Amino acid sequence: MKTGLRMNRRELLATVSVSLAGVAGCLNGEDAGPFGESPDNGTAADDDGEAPGGNAVQWTYQTSGSIRNQPTLQDGIVYLSGGTNERAKSNKEHVRPERSENVYALTADAGAEQWQYEAPAGVTSSPIVRDGVFVVTGWSAGTHGIEQQLVRLDDGSETWTTEEHDRYLHLLDSSDGAVYLGTSDDEYGIQGEELFAIRASDGDQYWSTETGDTTDATINGDTLYSVAGGRRTTAFAVNDGDERWHRDMRPGTDDVRVFDDALYLISEQENENGNYPVVAVSASEGSERWRFSVPVDEPFVPTGAVASGDAVYITEYGGWLFGVDRADGSENWRYSADSDTRDPPVVVDDMVYLASKNGGVHAVDGTTGDREWKRTVPGQVRIVAGNQQGVIVRGGKEEGMQHLRAYAPDGTEQWSLSHPEHLTRPAVDGTRAIVGTRSGYVAALAEQ
C-alpha cells in the first residue's frame, strides 16, 4: 500500500505536463472546468438542456449554443463567448466547433444584453477587457489550431484582427497598450513555439520570441512571467521580449503569480532525501532564496504555495498544510486535512482555505494553524474563488449533479447550486458568481 501511495505522489509531478498538454491541445485553451471534466467542444445546445434553477439564481440568459469558457466580469458588465451564428461553418471533419460563435456583453445586475458580436469562427478564449475587448477566434482540429487570430472589439464592433495562425493561440494578458499571446500544439514542450506582443491600438506586432508551448502568463511591472510546457517558468522583458531568466520549475499556483518580489516554484527534481522542494525565487533575478521540504510519511510532494503577509502557505499531496516563514522558509506550523490535497490553498487576510479529496473544505487560521471550521461538499471539492466576502467552492459530479456553494468567512453557507450539466469556471465578485452551462445558459448566482 505504501508503495502505491509513493508512486502516486511521484507520478503527480510526472503527469502534470501531460495533463496540461491535454488542456492545451484538446481544449485549445478552453476552460477545462474546475470540475475535472472536459466540456463538449461542439456548439449545438442540448435539446433537453435546462436552465440553472434554485434560490441562488438571480437571472439567466440563454445563448443559441454552448458556453465553454469562463465569463469575464468587469465594471458591472459580463463578457462571455459561446452561442452560435451562421457566419461560417467548418468544412473539415473532426473540427470544432461546428459553427461560428458569438461574444456577448450583458449587464451583471439583470443579464440584459448590451451587444453581441458574431465571430467568423469559434471563439476559443475568455475575453480580456482592458481598453477594448480582446478574444481569440478560430477552429480546433484536436492536435492543432486552424485560422486562429486575435480580435479587438469596441462596443461589439470589430476594430482589427491579427494574421491567422494554424496553431493554438492563447490570450495571456494585456497591459500598457499591449496584448500578449502564446502558441501551442499537441507536442507539449519547452521549445518550438512563439510568444509575442501585439499593439492594442492597431493590432501590429511589437515583438516575438521563441519559447515552448505557453498557455499561461502574467505581467508584473515591466516583466512578463510565463510557463512553457507546464514546467519551465521564464521572465521576459515586456518592452522587447528579451529573456531575463528561467527556471525549470512550475509555479505553486494554478496560474502564474508574483508575490511582491518573489515567485514560489515547485521543483521536479528530487533532493537528496527523495523530496520535491518548494523554491523561493527572486522575481527580478531568478536567484534562489530558500528551499522547503520536510519529512512526511511518504516523499514530500507539494501541490501549491501561496504567500500572504509574512508567511508562505504550502499544501502537500498527503493532506498537509504548512505555514512557512517568508523570510527564510522555516516551518511555523502544520495542519492535517486527513485526506489528499491536490490544489494550492486560497489565502484571504489571515484565513487559509484548502480543499481535500474527501470533500472537505477547511478554513485555517493563518497565524496559528488552528482549524476555524470545516464543511463538506459532495464529490471531489475544489475552491474556485476566495475574497473578503467569503469563498466559493465546487463539488465534482456526484449522482449526475455538479455543485457550487458559497460560504461566508465564518463558514455560514450563503447559497448553493446543483446542476446536471458541465459548468464553466465562474466569474466572481465577492460571493456573487456568473457561470455558463454546456447547453448555453448564463446564470448569476448570489444570496437572496
Side-chain angles (χ1 to χ4, degrees), residues 20-22 24-26 142-145 166-170 183-189 191-193 212-215:
L20 288 173
C26 297
T143 58
H144 60 278
D166 286 335
R167 292 292 230 210
Y168 288 124
L169 193 61
H170 303 276
T183 65
S184 74
D185 61 13
D186 63 330
E187 296 182 9
Y188 211 56
Q191 58 187 7
E193 295 295 332
D213 298 75
T214 302
T215 62

Side-chain angles (χ1 to χ4, degrees), residues 371-448:
R371 178 190 293 175
E372 295 294 318
W373 51 262
K374 177 184 176 182
R375 302 291 181 267
T376 301
V377 177
Q380 185 172 329
V381 66
R382 283 196 78 185
I383 298 172
V384 297
N387 51 57
Q388 291 182 334
Q389 295 182 42
V391 62
I392 297 176
V393 303
R394 64 82 178 160
K397 206 155 192 178
E398 183 176 271
E399 297 181 355
M401 305 295 284
Q402 294 179 334
H403 310 272
L404 279 177
R405 293 183 182 177
Y407 295 100
D410 64 0
T412 303
E413 183 178 296
Q414 297 185 311
W415 56 259
S416 66
L417 172 75
S418 297
H419 191 67
E421 298 179 19
H422 167 82
L423 301 173
T424 65
R425 184 182 294 271
V428 172
D429 178 15
T431 55
R432 191 162 182 260
I434 311 292
V435 67
T437 76
R438 185 178 59 190
S439 58
Y441 285 94
V442 187
L445 310 172
E447 185 177 20
Q448 302 297 319

Side-chain angles (χ1 to χ4, degrees), residues 108-316:
D109 60 349
E113 183 179 309
Q114 301 300 287
W115 52 256
Q116 180 182 147
Y117 165 71
E118 295 186 352
V123 183
T124 70
S125 71
S126 298
I128 282 182
V129 184
R130 195 168 293 138
D131 297 324
V133 178
F134 300 92
V135 294
V136 172
T137 67
W139 311 98
S140 170
T143 58
H144 60 278
I146 299 174
E147 299 173 356
Q148 298 208 353
Q149 61 183 348
L150 179 67
V151 178
R152 173 173 175 159
L153 305 174
D154 288 284
D155 294 326
S157 298
E158 183 179 296
T159 304
W160 52 253
T161 67
T162 60
E163 65 179 15
E164 295 176 346
H165 295 258
D166 286 335
R167 292 292 230 210
Y168 288 124
L169 193 61
H170 303 276
L171 182 53
L172 302 174
D173 205 349
S174 174
S175 179
D176 295 330
V179 184
Y180 299 88
L181 302 166
T183 65
S184 74
D185 61 13
D186 63 330
E187 296 182 9
Y188 211 56
I190 59 175
Q191 58 187 7
E193 295 295 332
E194 187 178 13
L195 177 70
F196 48 99
I198 299 296
R199 189 157 52 215
S201 59
D202 56 17
D204 289 345
Q205 183 172 295
Y206 273 125
W207 53 258
S208 68
T209 186
E210 182 179 348
T211 185
D213 298 75
T214 302
T215 62
D216 181 47
T218 190
I219 294 169
N220 187 271
D222 62 355
T223 306
L224 183 145
Y225 299 89
S226 72
V227 180
R231 63 183 186 273
R232 171 173 286 183
T233 303
T234 305
F236 295 96
V238 296
N239 62 335
D240 57 14
D242 283 351
E243 181 182 314
R244 290 178 169 163
W245 57 263
H246 75 261
R247 287 268 181 169
D248 286 332
M249 304 176 185
R250 60 185 177 88
T253 45
D254 287 333
D255 49 11
V256 188
R257 291 181 62 187
V258 181
F259 299 92
D260 295 330
D261 60 345
L263 289 85
Y264 299 93
L265 308 179
I266 296 176
S267 173
E268 296 186 6
Q269 299 295 320
E270 298 178 49
N271 61 19
E272 63 276 8
N273 297 316
N275 298 321
Y276 298 86
V278 171
V279 182
V281 171
S282 165
S284 58
E285 301 173 354
S287 56
E288 182 177 320
R289 294 178 176 171
W290 48 257
R291 292 187 169 219
F292 177 83
S293 67
V294 295
V296 290
D297 292 340
E298 297 288 336
F300 177 88
V301 176
T303 55
V306 176
S308 179
D310 296 329
V312 180
Y313 302 98
I314 297 171
T315 47
E316 198 273 337

